[in-house]
Amino acid sequence: MSMTGLESLRSRNGRAVVAAVQARPRCSRADVARLTGLSTSAVSILVANLIDAGVLVELGVKPAVAGGRPATALGLAPRAGSLIGIHLGHADLRVVLTSLDGTVLRQQRHFLDVDHEPAASLDHLARSTADLLEASEVPRDGVLAVGVAVSAPVVDSRALASPPMLLDWGGVDIAGILGERTGLPVYLGNDATLGALAEWRLGAGTAVDDLVYVMLGEGVGCGLVLGGRVHTGASGTAGELGHLPVVADGKICRCGARGCLETVVSKRALLTALAHTVGPEARVGDLLDLADAGDRGALRLLADAGQVLGNALAGVCTITDPSLVVIGGDLTARPHSSETLLEAARQALALALPPVANHDIRIVRAELGARAEALGAALLAASKSGMVLAAGTHLS
């Protein structure tokens, strides 16, 4: 590293620039100036020095925002450190090894009954972490931290809220057990909240600072980014859209209430409705196959789900005033079939919003696919890692 680069890294302003890029990967020099309060000329000099030092890299041209000019995106150099991101779903586990800019280096996925097998799930996660590091030849001391996205509310990045929405996980110290098994600091976050974080920083929401992210999977999750900050609420339960009651005297939800949105538009709910057509072993792929083939029943299922979702989103959007709603999860895995659901949601939202609300809210399909929550977990690990990079610990 050159003396100029080292001085830039160790300077207060240099650390601020690195922190800004770490906090918002693929930001431009103008974004860094806005985030740090530094002048654009000062940022340009610092960025040039940090690129020369091997701390930052240019990642190509960002799409232009309406009325603006294209800008070059910035990221942290891969050699600066790595992160582990984990999505602990209800029926599967996904583990990703990423660079600090969110680039996936390696990944693994395991299918098992996560809800009822906490010990087996944690064993898989510990082995996967070791396997990914060995396969990529990343040293363990080159990994800053582990982030875990869980399908449940989280308290203080360390523990599940009580009672936990993940069945059979009550009292399980996920962070403590994984930390002991991996030798790395471990932080927890709600999976929909971390999906919102990933889509905001790396996916469909990079051009906005106010968005609602909806994850349609085994349940219905929701994450919020408001005013350029992830919003979790006073107790970490903000965004529990799936447990908003939408059907009077409806089906009993796993949360104990009746008629929750989750009982109507989740993957489980739609596959149950589809079972009489394709049998009790129906999977989401069967539903999407039928919809792509033009099956009227499958298309009606998706359209009805979109309508109910759009109505439910009206309240959220009236209160939070986002510019964008991003819908992800298994039910939006394919562009063609998911458009039926999205268009129904758009129409329902437009009709349900009160006249005084923002009617320019766009609803779009998520860009990161099934990896969004694991990528968000990696970004959580980066934000919680104490800016080890800014102190120069991992740089020669």
Side-chain angles (χ1 to χ4, degrees):
M1 176 183 294
S2 69
M3 183 56 66
T4 301
L6 185 60
E7 290 170 352
S8 292
L9 179 62
R10 289 177 174 171
S11 72
R12 179 180 178 181
N13 288 345
R15 291 198 303 272
V17 169
V18 174
V21 176
Q22 185 182 35
R24 190 155 188 179
R26 297 179 184 167
C27 59
S28 67
R29 288 166 174 81
D31 293 330
V32 172
R34 179 173 57 83
L35 291 167
T36 61
L38 298 171
S39 68
T40 54
S41 58
V43 167
S44 295
I45 293 170
L46 287 164
V47 166
N49 290 339
L50 291 166
I51 289 174
D52 181 60
V55 178
L56 299 182
V57 292
E58 292 185 330
L59 301 173
V61 176
K62 294 177 59 176
V65 180
R69 296 186 300 175
T72 301
L74 300 170
L76 297 174
R79 77 184 189 92
S82 300
L83 303 160
I84 294 288
I86 293 168
H87 184 201
L88 190 68
H90 292 285
D92 70 323
L93 307 167
R94 186 181 294 272
V95 186
V96 298
L97 173 68
T98 78
S99 58
L100 293 182
D101 68 356
T103 299
V104 175
L105 306 176
R106 299 271 180 172
Q107 63 180 317
Q108 286 188 3
R109 191 179 187 188
H110 306 280
F111 295 92
L112 71 160
D113 185 3
V114 176
D115 277 357
H116 302 99
E117 298 183 22
S121 298
L122 293 172
D123 284 343
H124 276 296
L125 294 178
R127 287 199 300 271
S128 284
T129 299
D131 290 345
L132 292 177
L133 295 182
E134 182 178 359
S136 60
E137 299 182 351
V138 171
R140 193 171 294 266
D141 63 3
V143 180
L144 299 187
V146 177
V148 184
V150 296
S151 299
V154 171
V155 179
D156 296 330
S157 301
R158 299 294 296 174
L160 301 182
S162 181
M165 290 301 294
L166 272 176
L167 304 178
D168 293 350
W169 285 77
V172 177
D173 182 6
I174 299 173
I177 294 171
L178 276 181
E180 183 177 349
R181 296 283 298 274
T182 64
L184 296 165
V186 178
Y187 304 96
L188 307 184
N190 173 260
D191 57 356
T193 297
L194 295 180
L197 174 64
E199 286 290 345
W200 173 47
R201 291 187 177 171
L202 303 171
T206 55
V208 304
D209 278 339
D210 293 274
L211 67 84
V212 174
Y213 172 74
V214 179
M215 181 184 68
L216 298 177
E218 295 293 328
V220 179
C222 178
L224 304 171
V225 175
L226 304 176
R229 297 175 64 90
V230 175
H231 180 74
T232 58
S235 63
T237 59
E240 283 295 325
L241 180 67
H243 300 290
L244 185 74
V246 295
V247 180
D249 298 324
K251 295 179 181 178
I252 297 291
C253 180
R254 62 192 172 100
C255 74
R258 278 190 181 275
C260 294
L261 181 66
E262 182 175 300
T263 66
V264 181
V265 305
S266 69
K267 183 170 69 175
R268 290 180 182 181
L270 297 191
L271 293 184
T272 298
L274 189 69
H276 76 282
T277 302
V278 299
E281 301 302 317
R283 297 185 176 183
V284 69
D286 300 321
L287 172 60
L288 300 184
D289 284 343
L290 288 169
D292 284 341
D295 180 85
R296 295 172 68 180
L299 290 171
R300 179 61 183 267
L301 264 180
L302 292 172
D304 286 353
Q307 181 177 19
V308 175
L309 177 61
N311 286 330
L313 282 169
V316 176
C317 292
T318 300
I319 293 169
T320 61
D321 189 26
S323 57
L324 186 70
V325 174
V326 180
I327 300 181
D330 294 343
L331 293 175
T332 62
R334 300 184 195 172
H336 178 69
S337 54
S338 64
E339 185 56 28
T340 299
L341 187 151
L342 296 182
E343 184 55 30
R346 293 182 189 113
Q347 293 181 16
L349 176 62
L351 289 173
L353 284 171
V356 295
N358 172 20
H359 280 255
D360 293 325
I361 303 168
R362 294 182 297 124
I363 296 181
V364 301
R365 178 172 171 263
E367 291 183 0
L368 300 178
R371 297 188 300 184
E373 287 67 38
L375 282 170
L379 293 175
L380 170 69
S383 69
K384 295 292 185 178
S385 63
M387 280 308 301
V388 174
L389 175 66
T393 303
H394 294 288
L395 297 169
S396 58

